[in-house]
Amino acid sequence: DVKVTQSSRYLVKRTGEKVFLECVQDMDHENMFWYRQDPGLGLRLIYFSYDVKMKEKGDIPEGYSVSREKKERFSLILESASTNQTSMYLCASGEGLADYYEQYFGPGTRLTVT
Amino acid sequence: DAKTTQPNSMESNEEEPVHLPCNHSTISGTDYIHWYRQLPSQGPEYVIHGLTSNVNNRMASLAIAEDRKSSTLILHRATLRDAAVYYCILRDGDSGGSNYKLTFGKGTLLTVNP
């Protein structure tokens, strides 16, 4: 079974702090994604990566950056956390980008910024 | 983007089959139909997907109408662990390269009674 793990289930940070969210997948997938999920807004793509050191912006990249130094690991960085970044963050991985590929999600990190 | 319509909620009894409907009357010929589910406090989980023919896997079956304007996810014997929000998603095979992201609507909240 595909396993996607995220470094924390719950995280509380203060406004202005730099926040690192880490994601690791064990299926040798080329592609990894970071989404955030908010009530009433559904799932929104922040960034994705299709190869080591390669990244593409999603729909809401502002205030975030990412890093992919190794194939299995994809990190999301909040350079200066703000209260509007309080959300559930979900990492996913997938074998391909085409529409017939599924994505496998981690358990999520619920981040609260105070 | 082609849209889907699902009932807000459904209820089932344990050990009974469950049929979760999804309408997608504006589906195009290249759209794949994907189903994901999200258990409480968990990340989404891939369930099944198909294009034209009915599909079966260890989790569920997907029945696709001949005109493809609707589909039904079938859980053959519901268990308490199947209680979740079920999302029906169309992934656009002709969206000019942006088909890698998943867009979840509101989904159907399935309650399973013991």
Side-chain angles (χ1 to χ4, degrees):
Chain A
D1 280 352
V2 175
K3 196 164 185 183
V4 178
T5 57
Q6 295 183 229
S7 49
S8 307
R9 289 301 305 273
Y10 300 94
L11 210 51
V12 180
K13 295 292 182 181
R14 294 190 184 276
T15 302
E17 278 193 85
K18 192 168 186 175
V19 181
F20 293 86
L21 302 181
E22 294 220 314
C23 174
V24 177
Q25 52 99 358
D26 66 357
M27 280 301 290
D28 202 36
H29 284 162
E30 299 289 337
N31 307 285
M32 297 186 74
F33 308 82
W34 275 106
Y35 294 89
R36 62 178 281 179
Q37 187 174 31
D38 300 286
L41 296 176
L43 213 62
R44 292 180 290 169
L45 182 66
I46 305 171
Y47 268 98
F48 77 99
S49 168
Y50 52 90
D51 203 349
V52 174
K53 296 190 187 296
M54 306 304 290
K55 62 187 180 186
E56 290 283 344
K57 293 180 180 179
D59 295 323
I60 51 165
E62 296 78 20
Y64 304 94
S65 61
V66 290
S67 171
R68 192 161 179 209
E69 296 296 318
K70 292 185 177 181
K71 190 175 186 180
E72 67 272 16
R73 192 178 296 269
F74 192 34
S75 301
L76 180 70
I77 304 151
L78 286 65
E79 297 291 342
S80 177
S82 65
T83 54
N84 63 11
Q85 291 178 311
T86 291
S87 186
M88 169 71 95
Y89 288 88
L90 293 160
C91 175
S93 75
E95 188 178 345
L97 292 177
D99 52 351
Y100 45 80
Y101 284 109
E102 58 268 33
Q103 292 182 16
Y104 296 91
F105 285 83
T109 295
R110 187 164 293 282
L111 173 67
T112 302
V113 182
T114 62
Chain B
D1 288 342
K3 296 206 182 300
T4 62
T5 304
Q6 298 177 254
N8 289 333
S9 61
M10 289 185 66
E11 213 167 309
S12 171
N13 295 320
E14 208 175 1
E15 302 292 313
E16 291 184 357
V18 181
H19 291 233
L20 295 161
C22 181
N23 287 320
H24 28 78
S25 58
T26 59
I27 192 170
S28 75
T30 56
D31 289 348
Y32 279 81
I33 302 160
H34 285 247
W35 284 82
Y36 283 75
R37 71 180 185 181
Q38 190 167 19
L39 281 65
S41 301
Q42 298 288 330
E45 177 183 27
Y46 166 78
V47 178
I48 201 166
H49 75 277
L51 184 62
T52 55
S53 304
N54 294 346
V55 185
N56 300 297
N57 67 19
R58 64 177 178 82
M59 287 183 70
S61 295
L62 178 59
I64 301 172
E66 201 169 329
D67 63 5
R68 300 210 327 124
K69 293 184 185 299
S70 66
S71 61
T72 302
L73 179 71
I74 302 164
L75 307 179
H76 295 285
R77 291 181 67 190
T79 70
L80 297 178
R81 292 182 65 233
D82 291 320
V85 179
Y86 286 79
Y87 298 97
C88 170
I89 302 158
L90 298 185
R91 295 193 66 188
D92 187 353
D94 192 27
S95 60
S98 64
N99 55 10
Y100 43 80
K101 63 181 176 183
L102 294 177
T103 304
F104 286 10
K106 293 184 179 177
T108 297
L109 175 63
L110 175 66
T111 301
V112 180
N113 300 314

